[in-house]
Amino acid sequence: MPQYLRYAMRDSIRLQDPAAGESRFLHRADGEDAFPPPCPMVVFINPRSGGRHGHALKERLQQLMSEEQVFDLSDVKPHEFVQYGLSCLEMLAGLGDSCAKETRERIRVMVAGGDGTVGWVLGCLTELRKLGREPVPAVGIIPLGTGNDLSRSFRWGGSFPFAWRSAIKRSLQRASTGPVHPLDSWRVSLSMPEGTRVKPPHCLKHTEEFTLDQGLEIEGELPEKVTSYEGVYYNYFSIGMDAQVAYGFHHLRDEKPYLANGPIANKIIYSGYSCTQGWFFTPCTSDPGLRGLRNIMRMHIKRANCSEWELIAIPKSVRAIVALNLHSYGSGRNPWGKPKPEYLEKRGFVEADVADGLLEVFGLKQGWHASFVMVELISAKHIAQAAAIRLELRGGEWKNAYMQMDGEPWKQPLSKDFSTFVEIKKEPFQSVVISGK
């Protein structure tokens, strides 16, 4: 990328003013704008990911590209890049700078981080469609997280490579030329009685605008006032025992960070922790039936090309329900499996795809069943394919439910008098992801 454009974007982001880069254009060197780069690129890096390699990776990227094209997420947020960096290129293009115009049209983004970091960047870039500022830059991935399911789904690999110094250069080359694919995203809307004390994850933001779909009968009474949150996910939403295990693990890691300082350590501790949470053994003093989700939840879905809600029976034995968008879950597993065409036709399903406008909804029973699913000896309990989902939860014997979105879990308090609702609907705009191979 020409130096004057790099500096113009840097100045605009630092001063939070797209016009701050104009002076770089006016004082550019002769001929500097004559040859637009064939595939301009910027990189966002989460230096806390990737174990001890985060800061060294940042330095290596700056050597291969330039300091101005590598954004440390602790300093530059994705929405600042969209609001000021890309706006700077658009401003210069409006002044007649053809180099800035072509750079804006061709620019791609690499994200070095885990699934949460990738989702953060994708969400900010998708805002460009809502604002009519297309094209939306395609995104490639350098996997630095624990699960890296987004990275696996688009063939960027499942872990940070051992010989990473040479691998990074190859990744940047693939990102420059790789084909792009669309990716669905899903909006989760959470509504609860006002006064519910909940600590939502970073992926959920408070909203005043959410209203329940009125095309469905509600069991019981609605509270006079509600509190609502919304967020977007790309991989999965789940409720039940798997989210409870994830919630406990995250708290353990926050309290004792020295126990989990890398992806391998995380997985070992996570596996061990799951054995202590009743996932494998339900305490004899409690009624096992109370552990089934159908005791607290009703689920309705809309099928493909259908506007009517349909009540779905939740199997008695199911203790966790997952609404999956990708083919990869839990560090590369495919719990939905690869059903044969005859089975798909019998169940009214279609072959799963990341851009088909459908979620694969499946259930996990006790920990032994989940374990066999995760080593892909069996498939999960297929429940439905859905274009929209509504969950209605009511307390009683259960004081809390546990939920998670793309690896961010939280504890959701339940009321015995009023229902808590979760609605999941497809976002109108798709993201664009680069294929790694």
Side-chain angles (χ1 to χ4, degrees), residues 176-209:
S176 300
T177 59
V180 300
H181 298 281
L183 170 65
D184 287 338
S185 56
W186 297 85
R187 180 164 295 275
V188 173
S189 301
L190 175 65
S191 175
M192 68 199 77
E194 188 179 58
T196 302
R197 300 183 64 180
V198 61
K199 186 178 180 181
H202 296 298
C203 57
L204 287 177
K205 307 299 181 186
H206 185 266
T207 178
E208 302 286 350
E209 301 176 359

Side-chain angles (χ1 to χ4, degrees), residues 326-349:
L326 302 181
H327 300 151
S328 182
Y329 167 84
S331 300
R333 279 69 175 182
N334 183 5
W336 185 259
K338 297 180 179 179
K340 296 180 179 180
E342 310 85 63
Y343 175 82
L344 294 175
E345 184 177 0
K346 179 181 178 181
R347 292 292 305 270
F349 295 160

Side-chain angles (χ1 to χ4, degrees), residues 210-224:
F210 172 63
T211 55
L212 284 171
D213 189 321
Q214 299 301 311
L216 183 60
E217 180 183 352
I218 296 172
E219 190 177 77
E221 298 182 7
L222 284 175
E224 291 185 8

Side-chain angles (χ1 to χ4, degrees), residues 129-375:
R129 291 195 194 276
K130 299 178 183 179
L131 299 171
R133 294 170 56 193
E134 298 182 279
V136 175
V139 172
I141 304 168
I142 299 173
L144 299 185
T146 302
N148 298 313
D149 289 302
L150 269 166
S151 177
R152 296 173 194 270
S153 296
F154 289 94
R155 306 178 71 182
W156 287 101
S159 61
F160 191 59
F162 180 75
W164 61 270
R165 291 185 180 276
S166 57
I168 293 305
K169 189 172 183 179
R170 292 195 299 272
S171 293
L172 294 177
Q173 292 170 343
R174 293 204 305 270
S176 300
T177 59
V180 300
H181 298 281
L183 170 65
D184 287 338
S185 56
W186 297 85
R187 180 164 295 275
V188 173
S189 301
L190 175 65
S191 175
M192 68 199 77
E194 188 179 58
T196 302
R197 300 183 64 180
V198 61
K199 186 178 180 181
H202 296 298
C203 57
L204 287 177
K205 307 299 181 186
H206 185 266
T207 178
E208 302 286 350
E209 301 176 359
F210 172 63
T211 55
L212 284 171
D213 189 321
Q214 299 301 311
L216 183 60
E217 180 183 352
I218 296 172
E219 190 177 77
E221 298 182 7
L222 284 175
E224 291 185 8
K225 296 182 179 181
V226 298
T227 300
S228 300
Y229 295 87
E230 286 190 333
V232 174
Y233 79 89
Y234 297 87
N235 189 357
Y236 68 92
F237 169 88
S238 73
I239 177 172
M241 185 58 74
D242 72 318
Q244 181 174 343
V245 171
Y247 178 82
F249 169 74
H250 276 247
H251 274 260
L252 176 66
R253 189 172 60 177
D254 290 342
E255 292 172 0
K256 301 178 180 180
Y258 56 86
L259 291 176
N261 57 6
I264 295 177
N266 281 344
K267 290 175 183 177
I268 293 173
I269 295 170
Y270 191 97
S271 299
Y273 186 82
S274 67
C275 295
T276 69
Q277 296 300 296
W279 191 219
F280 287 87
F281 300 102
T282 302
C284 297
T285 56
S286 64
D287 178 5
L290 295 177
R291 297 300 183 98
L293 283 176
R294 77 174 189 175
N295 291 280
I296 60 163
M297 188 172 77
R298 291 200 311 161
M299 178 168 65
H300 290 79
I301 70 165
K302 287 183 179 179
R303 298 191 184 272
N305 304 315
C306 182
S307 60
E308 298 296 322
W309 288 102
E310 176 185 342
L311 178 63
I312 299 296
I314 300 174
K316 181 180 179 181
S317 58
V318 166
R319 298 171 68 185
I321 286 179
V322 181
L324 184 66
N325 186 42
L326 302 181
H327 300 151
S328 182
Y329 167 84
S331 300
R333 279 69 175 182
N334 183 5
W336 185 259
K338 297 180 179 179
K340 296 180 179 180
E342 310 85 63
Y343 175 82
L344 294 175
E345 184 177 0
K346 179 181 178 181
R347 292 292 305 270
F349 295 160
V350 297
E351 186 175 352
D353 186 81
V354 299
D356 59 5
L358 293 173
L359 291 168
E360 282 65 56
V361 184
F362 61 86
L364 299 172
K365 303 176 186 178
Q366 72 285 348
W368 305 109
H369 174 253
S371 297
F372 288 136
V373 169
M374 295 305 281
V375 297

